[in-house]
Structure formats: structure tokens, C-alpha cells
Amino acid sequence: ISLLPAAYVLFTTPGTLIWSFDGWIVWLFRGVQLIGLVSLGVSLLQVDAGRFAGLAQVRAYINGTDLPLPDEPLVTSGLYGWVRHPLYLFSLLILWFTPSMTSTGLMFVIASTLYFTIGSILEERTMIAIFGETYKQYQANVPWMLPFVK
């Protein structure tokens, strides 16, 4: 949601064409994007999607529930057993595998990649503070954001 203003700029001022594929490569890229989209949805179902989007906090505020909300349990199964940051990984698959990329789009994708990378580092610090040794063991066993790369 925080990237929507940047997405607006992306679509209203597309910039110079950097690459454009056609033929079977377009179908390959769209297939990777579809895998990313479906996997992103599955990843969101494994965690509290309302909390992720900030809606659970708004609902708690409206209902008079104490904030901040209690910590969520650590999810280490499913796609979270494959990589520690599946939401970022699958979002990046959707962004990078665009069959036609403009200069504005490429700047957005690079900025998003940096945002997700820095965000994952900060998030890992928070997770260690919350879950301690349990999260450190999870880090030791599950790749960061690239599957099969520890």
C-alpha cells in the first residue's frame, strides 16, 4: 500500500523503453508473474493479512482494543519454510518479470528491491528481539529470500 503513490507515477509517466520481449518469452515472464502472484496470496494466507496491511490495528482502535496488538506466532511452515521472506520474494518476481520495462518502471523496481532488502534486514532484527534463539535457529535453517541459497 505504501508503494501505491510510486506506482501512480510509474503508470502516468512511463519513461523510455528499456526492454520489451515478445513471443514465447512474454508467456514465460507472465508465467513467473502468475507463480509470484499465487504464491504471494498463499504467503498472505499463512499470516494475518489484516495485520500485515494495518487493517487489524485500525479495527482494534475502533473497537477500543488495547494497542499495540500482541505479537503474532512465528510462522515457519509452508512457504515460510522455504524462504524467510516469501512476501518480498514473490513481490519481486512479479515486479522483475515484466515483459516490457521502461526507465520509470526500472527505477521503481530497483527502489522496491532496495526497500524490500533493507526492510528484511530491519525485520529480522525485530524478529530476533521478539523470538530470540528460536528465530536465530530459523535463520540458520531457512534461506533469507533466495531459495536454496543460505
Side-chain angles (χ1 to χ4, degrees):
I1 292 173
S2 62
L3 296 175
L4 287 178
Y8 173 77
V9 171
L10 170 71
F11 291 111
T12 57
T13 56
T16 307
L17 186 65
I18 302 292
W19 71 68
S20 182
F21 297 107
D22 54 7
W24 66 271
I25 294 178
V26 171
W27 291 104
L28 175 67
F29 274 42
R30 293 290 185 216
V32 171
Q33 286 181 315
L34 181 61
I35 290 168
L37 184 62
V38 170
S39 300
L40 181 65
V42 170
S43 298
L44 280 170
L45 290 174
Q46 288 190 260
V47 295
D48 184 350
R51 184 179 225 168
F52 177 79
L55 300 176
Q57 293 87 332
V58 171
R59 186 172 44 249
Y61 178 78
I62 291 170
N63 293 334
T65 306
D66 289 337
L67 291 171
L69 296 174
D71 293 330
E72 292 182 87
L74 179 62
V75 178
T76 60
S77 60
L79 294 173
Y80 288 86
W82 197 46
V83 292
R84 294 192 308 266
H85 300 281
L87 296 172
Y88 299 151
L89 168 65
F90 297 122
S91 295
L92 289 173
L93 285 180
I94 294 166
L95 294 172
W96 277 105
F97 282 86
T98 301
S100 294
M101 183 69 71
T102 64
S103 56
T104 307
L106 185 58
M107 286 188 296
F108 176 77
V109 172
I110 290 169
S112 298
T113 302
L114 289 171
Y115 178 82
F116 291 146
T117 301
I118 294 167
S120 71
I121 293 166
L122 298 174
E123 182 179 331
E124 297 233 329
R125 290 180 186 168
T126 302
M127 299 299 274
I128 290 171
I130 294 170
F131 296 106
E133 200 57 43
T134 304
Y135 194 79
K136 288 181 182 180
Q137 189 64 39
Y138 176 60
Q139 282 180 310
N141 294 325
V142 177
W144 167 67
M145 199 181 318
L146 300 174
F148 315 112
V149 178
K150 286 195 177 187

